[in-house]
Amino acid sequence: MNKPIVVTIEETKIENKDVKTLRFHYHRDVSPGQFFMIWIPGVDEIPLSSSFTRENLKGVTFKRVGEATRQLFKLDKGDKIGIRGPYGNGFKLFGEHILFVGGGTGIATITPAAEEALKMGIEATIILGVKTKDELFFEERLKENGAKVYIATDDGTRGYKGFASELAIKLLKEEEFSLIITCGPELMMKQLLLNRGDIPLQASLERYMKCGIGVCGHCCIGRGLRVCVDGPVFNHEVLEKLEEFGVYTRDASGRR
């Protein structure tokens, strides 16, 4: 599992001008919240959360922000990439009604979890938070699967005007939830942690990763926790003890 398996891209979809989904055949089971190490030949290897699973067809969804994702964005059906994983722990789904909050590309991480919850007979309410309406994706996919979807845009071009965390706090006061699941900007997730009341919370964190198997130490947080093996999903009990959560991250050299 620690050597890349070369696969052929079977399907691609442009979700918006900067976000794209790639799907490929991969035989290993994947749980919502786990991630792959994606090797772009001749470029780099980067971690990407699973965004789609249907038997042996798996998928990742990403935003072009750096050299690796820009090159990955150029690939099309028939091109090849390398896959390692899946790695890390996934979301633990339980209860009668779960609130899912996704910000930006964090939407891609929470969507498979919401779909799995619906299959389990759990009611799913999802907040999709983006800067502007043109950045939305997966809305129709979630609605087609039976989720109740709310939209929050920073500029008010669609749905609630403001941050996804603000809308989530409002819903937490109006409805009963068994669990909160979130992925996105840490400031957003930190607000959910601070305002969760007594509702359990699970958050998927993003950190700089190179190995994906707990060896290199680039993704360490707190006192010896490694996002790649101890996470990327952490519960509220762990997050409340992390001094750096929602405050700072580290670069490739490990500096704040």
Side-chain angles (χ1 to χ4, degrees):
M1 192 163 73
N2 295 328
K3 292 183 179 180
I5 295 175
V6 176
V7 300
T8 301
I9 297 170
E10 302 292 339
E11 301 174 9
T12 68
K13 183 179 180 182
I14 303 294
E15 307 291 354
N16 63 43
K17 68 180 182 66
D18 289 315
V19 174
K20 187 173 186 177
T21 295
L22 305 179
R23 293 178 180 174
F24 44 85
H25 287 300
Y26 193 66
H27 66 281
R28 293 188 173 124
D29 292 335
V30 183
S31 297
Q34 288 189 298
F35 69 94
F36 298 107
M37 294 299 294
I38 305 293
W39 173 55
I40 307 102
V43 182
D44 201 355
E45 187 181 47
I46 58 174
L48 290 175
S49 292
S50 168
S51 67
F52 179 84
T53 297
R54 188 178 65 214
E55 297 179 350
N56 283 339
L57 191 64
K58 308 299 193 298
V60 293
T61 302
F62 60 95
K63 182 177 182 179
R64 52 179 169 187
V65 291
E67 179 60 20
T69 49
R70 282 196 293 268
Q71 294 302 318
L72 193 60
F73 203 94
K74 295 177 181 178
L75 300 184
D76 209 339
K77 181 178 179 179
D79 289 327
K80 297 185 183 299
I81 54 176
I83 308 291
R84 286 196 293 126
Y87 295 124
N89 58 51
F91 296 108
K92 295 176 175 60
L93 307 174
F94 58 84
E96 297 181 358
H97 189 185
I98 300 177
L99 176 62
F100 295 87
V101 186
T105 52
I107 293 169
T109 302
I110 66 165
T111 293
E115 291 172 335
E116 183 64 24
L118 289 163
K119 290 178 184 177
M120 295 168 62
I122 300 173
E123 186 177 355
T125 294
I126 294 100
I127 297 175
L128 307 180
V130 291
K131 292 180 180 178
T132 187
K133 66 177 183 179
D134 293 337
E135 296 182 359
L136 280 168
F137 64 97
F138 285 3
E139 178 185 0
E140 293 307 315
R141 170 178 162 181
L142 286 162
K143 287 180 176 178
E144 288 172 2
N145 282 290
K148 186 176 183 180
V149 179
Y150 290 87
I151 306 297
T153 53
D154 294 359
D155 62 3
T157 49
R158 180 81 188 281
Y160 177 84
K161 182 178 181 179
F163 299 139
S165 55
E166 297 170 351
L167 178 55
I169 293 168
K170 181 174 181 291
L171 290 181
L172 288 170
K173 295 176 181 178
E174 298 173 352
E175 301 185 42
E176 291 188 6
F177 296 98
S178 309
L179 173 66
I180 302 167
I181 282 181
T182 182
C183 183
E186 282 197 14
L187 288 176
M188 176 197 81
M189 296 192 290
K190 183 65 175 284
Q191 285 302 307
L192 295 175
L193 180 68
L194 294 174
N195 290 276
R196 69 179 183 85
D198 60 357
I199 303 172
L201 177 144
Q202 297 172 28
S204 177
L205 305 193
E206 179 180 320
R207 285 294 187 277
Y208 188 87
M209 293 182 192
K210 289 301 292 182
C211 72
I213 56 174
V215 174
C216 72
H218 278 90
C219 65
C220 284
I221 58 173
R223 296 183 179 276
L225 291 175
R226 297 157 297 176
V227 172
C228 65
V229 292
D230 299 306
V233 177
F234 295 94
N235 64 30
H236 63 271
E237 294 176 336
V238 174
L239 296 171
E240 287 170 345
K241 297 174 183 176
L242 290 179
E243 175 186 337
E244 67 187 74
F245 178 61
V247 178
Y248 63 84
T249 57
R250 299 178 186 273
D251 62 18
S253 68
R255 292 178 297 187
R256 296 184 184 183

